[in-house]
Amino acid sequence: MLVLLPPSEGKAAGGSGAPLEPQALSLPGLAEARAAVLEELVELCAGDEVKAREVLGLSEGLRAEVAKNAGLRSAAARPAGEVYTGVLYDALGLADLPAAARDLAQRSLLVFSGLWGAVRVTDRIPSYRCSMGVKLPALGALGAYWREPMAAVMPAAAGEGLVLDLRSSAYASAWKPKGEVAGRTATVRVLHSQVVDGVEKRSVVSHFNKATKGRLVRELLVAGAVPQTPAELVTALRDLGHTVEAEAPAKPAKAWSLDVVVTRIH
């Protein structure tokens, strides 16, 4: 099982320690593309701060993020699983997973990134600010920039089992499973169900959606569940007590879409 996650916009400070070692990152086929993004991002942020904030979509209150990006090459690096914070990662709770679940997480989780393309949670990276929606002056829109490099490495990274795609649309734009890989890919939507005047209404709540996805992944890891197909994922989630609605796609080379229906927001 390979679980594709979005990063978090907020990130933990780097603290102290050795700086980034680009050659040590997973998916070495992305090395050249990573180096190009890193070089342009550092150069941009070491120059005109106003321009850098405009390109990165940062308010004046986030000007410190520009200086942080300018120093990425020498900044302290930490495992990505510690750097990424926010709602999904809080719910996932990597730090306090049981040992077996933590080992499974290290093998199964892949975090997409506007700067790195994708990294494992064990890859050591510095804290940075660069979303997939950024359009760098020279390289262009990062979602489009990463498509070719990601297409070259992801089929092998996907292995032969389930691909559980929990990315947001911006990060999903960097790689879309195709062919045989698409047929064993499942995307998940979390729906809040409530009855109003006797009529059921369903809605997607962003904050709650992220938290629930984090909890779903944690529960699968703790249970040691390694479904190999979308159908097995549906069974695994139902065994964990979740209400899941899913239909097999009409064509075999299409991803499954799963709805996890919940009645409480927490």
Side-chain angles (χ1 to χ4, degrees), residues 46 74 89 221 223 254:
S74 59
Y89 291 90
L221 294 172
K254 296 290 184 179

Side-chain angles (χ1 to χ4, degrees), residues 21-34:
E21 296 179 5
Q23 72 280 5
L25 296 178
S26 301
L27 305 180
L30 299 178
E32 184 176 345
R34 286 169 175 152

Side-chain angles (χ1 to χ4, degrees), residues 7-191:
S8 59
E9 191 167 292
K11 299 172 183 68
S16 60
L20 171 74
E21 296 179 5
Q23 72 280 5
L25 296 178
S26 301
L27 305 180
L30 299 178
E32 184 176 345
R34 286 169 175 152
V37 180
L38 179 62
E39 180 176 3
E40 183 170 1
L41 182 62
V42 169
E43 182 178 349
L44 170 71
C45 292
D48 186 331
E49 181 199 291
V50 174
K51 179 181 178 180
R53 285 198 287 108
E54 180 181 349
V55 170
L56 297 175
L58 301 176
S59 66
E60 185 172 357
L62 294 173
R63 61 192 307 172
E65 299 292 292
V66 175
K68 181 168 68 176
N69 282 349
L72 282 174
R73 289 196 176 93
S74 59
R78 301 167 61 183
E82 298 177 12
V83 172
Y84 294 119
T85 59
V87 177
L88 187 152
Y89 291 90
D90 286 346
L92 175 54
L94 288 171
D96 63 359
L97 283 172
R102 190 180 307 116
D103 290 343
L104 182 56
Q106 293 172 357
R107 300 194 304 270
S108 303
L109 306 185
L110 192 67
V111 184
F112 272 60
S113 162
L115 175 53
W116 314 114
V119 292
R120 300 282 185 181
V121 293
T122 51
D123 285 333
R124 294 177 61 261
I125 59 173
S127 180
Y128 67 96
R129 190 67 171 250
C130 183
S131 73
M132 192 66 79
V134 164
K135 184 177 181 180
L136 291 175
L139 296 179
L142 291 177
Y145 170 81
W146 280 111
R147 285 174 196 156
E148 184 175 346
M150 297 303 296
V153 303
M154 283 305 299
E160 299 181 353
L162 170 74
V163 177
L164 175 52
D165 190 352
L166 301 179
R167 297 172 296 168
S168 56
S169 58
Y171 291 90
S173 70
W175 179 65
K176 182 178 180 180
K178 296 181 179 180
E180 180 269 336
V181 178
R184 50 187 168 86
T185 296
T187 62
V188 172
R189 182 175 62 165
V190 180
L191 297 179

